[in-house]
Amino acid sequence: MNTENQTKVEETKVDEWTKEFLISRKNGFTEVTDEEVAKADAFCEGYKMFLDLSKTEREAVEFGIAQAEKVGFVEFEYGKTYQAGEKVYYNNRGKALILAVIGEDGCNDGVRIAAAHVDSPRLDLKPYPLYEANEMVLFKTHYYGGIKKYQWTTIPLAMHGRIVRRDGTYVDIRLGEEPGEPQFCVTDLLPHLGTEQMTKTLAKAIEGENLNVLIGSRPVRAEKGSNLFKLNIMKLIHEKYDIVEEDFISGEIEFVPAFKASDVGFDASMIGGYGHDDRVCAYPAIEAILHCDKPKHTVLTVLADKEEVGSDGNTGMNSAFLRYFIGDLAKMEGLDPHAVMTKSKCLSADVTAAFDPTYASAYEPTNSCYLNNGVGVMKYTGSRGKSGTSDASAEFMAEVRRLLDSKNILWQTGELGKVDGGGGGTVAMYIANLNIDVVDMGVPVISMHSPFEVVAKLDVYMAYRAFKAFFEDQSC
Ligand code: MN
Ligand code: MN
């Protein structure tokens, strides 16, 4: 092209074109009003309470049911006729939950789903966890989900979960959360003796087999007998929970960080806490459906278990429970379940990584999500060339963009770090495999999977607004 002959454009034209044709990126905070920020801060007070109350999938499901019942949700009954506006829930084994509001059009044009998960990385007990060694008593653990093991040493831990005795009766345990209650910890070597350990890589310095939880150090007072330290602790456990050592075999005990969620920063703009992944999407999805009256389409909030270990298992998203539930709703309206699922749409409500300037080299700055820039919409996740992802269609992405923009909801898009930097998946693909339109939408997180993850309050609130808009929208 001969540049000589081109007329030079005026500067004002460049400004105009830039505005019209290019993406302009400002910090999300500058785009919202003080009133909206105040609403976000208020919303997050409820969220912090939820975090402290719901550190395991069972506790989150319990919370979800309790909140839902307060606003009129009742247990789903197959075969019953439901009217528009009726609210039901399906409790799958106390570890996964579906909340549903029947729409004006029922399932005629498919259902609208927000699906989050309520399990988080943690330390589970082994079947035979209890042992004594060198006059100390410990629990052996098997970690759950993707953790950096060194992060789980020398922090206060609390014991949560359920133990079912041989006769089927059970005891729920939650110890180390209330003031005055004992807490627990995984020990680490003192730096003075850490010369050899310090030469190891992060992956090797703390071994999975060494994630043992310290639970006692006094023996039974006796002249003879063996295992007196272990015996003393088991005796105390028996007094408190009426269980014997063998009962651990039928237990689901999780050791989780004992600290509470708190504001982070002088501006209190962020929240630090355990289990943002994925309770930071679960809570907005619960709140969205609790505040959704008479939607056009039937709407569902799904809280799944097992996401952190691949979504398999009957309470995971790879189980048929969602398919069965939608099928039941369809059949009760005389509709074909397959047709209903094909017309359904879903937001896979899971977190994404937020850009961390301290580890900038792990991210591709143009395609990253940032704190305070709103809820993240991810067309795809996965790793090694988009493996393990459903990849939303261009059409559905456009629909979601349109919806969020029409409601003035702050949102952003990005990828999980650099190509070939690693990656990760969500429940999106399991739902997409039912022939449902799915896109990932969630809150960006700093220090994901650590005991103290960080999110921005504004993003949490925008996730709530996004899920609510998706439920209430007539066009989507
Ligand atoms: Mn997640
Ligand atoms: Mn995760």
Side-chain angles (χ1 to χ4, degrees):
M1 184 186 285
N2 185 350
T3 46
E4 301 273 305
N5 295 340
Q6 270 193 314
T7 358
K8 207 174 161 201
V9 297
E10 300 154 38
E11 261 174 55
T12 52
K13 208 72 187 156
V14 171
D15 288 348
E16 214 174 284
W17 289 346
T18 303
K19 216 170 157 198
E20 193 177 344
F21 303 140
L22 299 184
I23 294 171
S24 78
R25 275 204 166 169
K26 289 186 206 148
N27 182 282
F29 190 80
T30 61
E31 308 268 296
V32 298
T33 60
D34 284 347
E35 198 193 341
E36 193 112 71
V37 173
K39 278 187 187 167
D41 290 352
F43 181 82
C44 285
E45 290 305 304
Y47 172 52
K48 282 185 283 179
M49 192 191 69
F50 169 70
L51 273 184
D52 294 342
L53 289 174
S54 310
K55 291 191 177 181
T56 67
E57 56 285 346
R58 285 182 191 272
E59 290 169 355
V61 165
E62 226 171 86
F63 177 95
I65 293 173
Q67 296 301 107
E69 283 182 340
K70 274 188 209 163
V71 296
F73 281 75
V74 293
E75 199 151 359
F76 174 72
E77 273 178 61
Y78 181 69
K80 220 184 138 189
T81 312
Y82 290 106
Q83 307 300 325
E86 282 201 77
K87 300 166 176 198
V88 295
Y89 67 83
Y90 171 70
N91 173 0
N92 185 7
R93 298 170 166 85
K95 298 200 283 185
L97 179 68
I98 301 175
L99 301 171
V101 180
I102 310 299
E104 305 273 2
D105 287 357
C107 300
N108 235 333
D109 197 27
V111 296
R112 301 295 175 267
I113 308 162
H117 68 92
V118 285
D119 60 316
S120 295
R122 69 209 182 215
L123 306 179
D124 285 348
L125 284 193
K126 289 192 183 193
Y128 290 124
L130 185 65
Y131 74 105
E132 91 169 52
N134 308 95
E135 303 175 1
M136 285 159 78
V137 189
L138 302 107
F139 270 151
K140 289 178 187 288
T141 69
H142 194 139
Y143 64 93
Y144 174 98
I147 62 167
K148 290 165 97 174
K149 297 177 194 102
Y150 72 90
Q151 294 177 338
W152 293 75
T153 65
T154 64
I155 58 164
L157 297 173
M159 179 177 175
H160 289 238
R162 172 170 294 185
I163 290 181
V164 184
R165 303 179 192 96
R166 200 204 308 264
D167 65 5
T169 59
Y170 65 85
V171 57
D172 282 331
I173 295 173
R174 188 175 182 274
L175 185 63
E177 294 288 349
E178 302 307 322
E181 283 183 351
Q183 298 180 334
F184 308 90
C185 66
V186 173
T187 58
D188 193 6
L189 194 57
L190 59 167
H192 317 66
L193 298 178
T195 313
E196 192 204 329
Q197 185 195 35
M198 298 287 240
T199 64
K200 294 181 182 173
T201 60
L202 277 183
K204 286 277 161 67
I206 306 291
E207 307 263 1
E209 279 298 341
N210 288 347
L211 293 173
N212 302 314
V213 178
L214 182 59
I215 59 167
S217 67
R218 284 182 187 169
V220 167
R221 271 196 208 283
E223 295 289 307
K224 25 179 207 185
S226 58
N227 277 321
L228 293 178
F229 287 80
K230 174 177 164 179
L231 181 63
N232 187 41
I233 296 307
M234 193 57 232
K235 190 172 147 285
L236 292 170
I237 294 173
H238 174 76
E239 280 163 17
K240 201 168 169 59
Y241 300 114
D242 191 21
I243 53 169
V244 295
E245 188 183 4
E246 204 181 319
D247 291 324
F248 283 113
I249 293 172
S250 47
E252 285 175 351
I253 295 297
E254 309 175 7
F255 278 84
V256 297
F259 35 73
K260 305 220 176 301
S262 69
D263 288 349
V264 169
F266 287 107
D267 55 5
S269 60
M270 299 164 281
I271 303 169
Y274 165 67
H276 284 314
D277 179 7
D278 185 31
R279 294 182 187 106
V280 76
C281 297
Y283 182 75
I286 295 171
E287 284 294 304
I289 201 161
L290 295 189
H291 291 97
C292 179
D293 292 315
K294 294 233 172 167
K296 182 167 179 259
H297 312 290
T298 293
V299 298
L300 271 59
T301 283
V302 182
L303 306 179
D305 180 25
K306 299 277 181 274
E307 195 278 339
E308 296 297 356
V309 289
S311 291
D312 288 317
N314 54 14
T315 51
M317 212 64 265
N318 204 11
S319 139
F321 80 93
L322 175 63
R323 180 155 53 96
Y324 290 168
F325 185 80
I326 298 172
D328 285 352
L329 288 178
K331 282 187 271 176
M332 285 157 63
E333 292 177 25
L335 299 167
D336 175 13
H338 296 172
V340 169
M341 271 178 270
T342 302
K343 284 186 273 187
S344 293
K345 292 170 189 182
C346 172
L347 301 178
S348 163
D350 204 348
V351 298
T352 186
F355 189 90
D356 182 344
T358 305
Y359 297 98
S361 66
Y363 300 84
E364 192 266 278
T366 308
N367 286 284
S368 287
C369 286
Y370 293 80
L371 289 188
N372 285 310
N373 279 257
V375 66
V377 182
M378 271 68 58
K379 190 172 179 298
Y380 52 85
T381 60
S383 52
R384 292 165 286 104
K386 297 192 181 181
S387 186
T389 182
S390 48
D391 205 345
S393 70
E395 288 82 355
F396 191 44
M397 278 299 282
E399 222 176 281
V400 170
R401 275 175 64 194
R402 204 156 56 227
L403 170 70
L404 297 175
D405 288 341
S406 74
K407 300 274 161 84
N408 254 322
I409 295 166
L410 197 62
W411 66 278
Q412 57 184 323
T413 190
E415 292 190 325
L416 190 99
K418 275 187 176 166
V419 176
D420 288 340
T426 66
V427 299
M429 63 173 172
Y430 303 107
I431 299 170
N433 290 347
L434 301 174
N435 199 22
I436 292 174
D437 269 314
V438 187
V439 68
D440 275 295
M441 187 187 285
V443 176
V445 177
I446 297 265
S447 305
M448 198 195 292
H449 283 204
S450 78
F452 198 72
E453 303 173 311
V454 175
V455 296
K457 289 179 179 176
L458 195 56
D459 302 336
V460 183
Y461 181 61
M462 290 300 164
Y464 162 69
R465 285 199 52 209
F467 302 154
K468 192 159 180 282
F470 180 66
F471 284 162
E472 287 171 353
D473 189 63
Q474 307 287 312
S475 62
C476 206

